[in-house]
């Protein structure tokens, strides 16, 4: 098995595996196996009126709802967030969001 095939296998079997890293989240109206990384904001972000609650979401690209541009809204587990960035690499979407106020 070559590197690309191993990455594809890991993407399905390990990364979003509910027994390893992944959890089920409701993103918009879809249930998505994802890994989240929550973070708190401070300083300049708070001065600009942005919430302190943000996170990064990692999920298989094909499981995610349609891609959003920065500034668009997305719902995660019933909370509305603003998309800061949305990148996809090797079949994994990485979406950075901040809670909308």
């Amino acid at each position: 098995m070559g590197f690309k095939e191993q990455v594809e296998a890991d993407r399905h079997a390990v990364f979003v595996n509910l027994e390893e890293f992944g959890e089920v989240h409701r993103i918009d109206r879809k249930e998505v196996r994802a890994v989240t990384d929550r973070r708190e904001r401070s300083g300049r972000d708070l001065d600009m009126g942005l919430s302190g609650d943000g996170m990064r979401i990692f999920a298989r690209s094909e499981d995610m709802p349609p891609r959003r541009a920065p500034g668009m809204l997305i719902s995660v587990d019933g909370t509305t967030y603003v998309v800061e960035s949305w990148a996809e690499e090797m079949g994994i979407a990485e979406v950075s969001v901040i809670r909308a106020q």
Side-chain angles (χ1 to χ4, degrees), residues 16-95:
V16 293
N17 182 325
L18 298 178
E19 295 178 9
E20 298 290 336
F21 300 106
E23 300 174 321
V24 175
H25 293 275
R26 183 168 281 295
I27 301 177
D28 286 342
R29 294 185 187 110
K30 286 183 85 172
E31 286 194 355
V32 176
R33 290 181 183 194
V35 176
T36 59
D37 175 26
R38 297 194 181 272
R39 66 190 190 284
E40 290 291 319
R41 299 287 182 134
S42 61
R44 184 171 171 263
D45 290 335
L46 295 176
D47 291 342
M48 293 173 52
L50 297 174
S51 161
D53 297 330
M55 77 171 116
R56 288 185 303 168
I57 303 162
F58 300 90
R60 293 185 307 197
S61 297
E62 67 267 21
D63 293 344
M64 293 292 287
R67 188 177 183 143
R68 307 286 164 72
M72 294 182 76
L73 300 179
I74 191 167
S75 173
V76 180
D77 297 328
T79 302
T80 302
Y81 291 87
V82 176
V83 173
E84 292 183 293
S85 65
W86 189 307
E88 296 182 26
E89 188 171 332
M90 294 180 11
I92 298 291
E94 177 182 348
V95 183

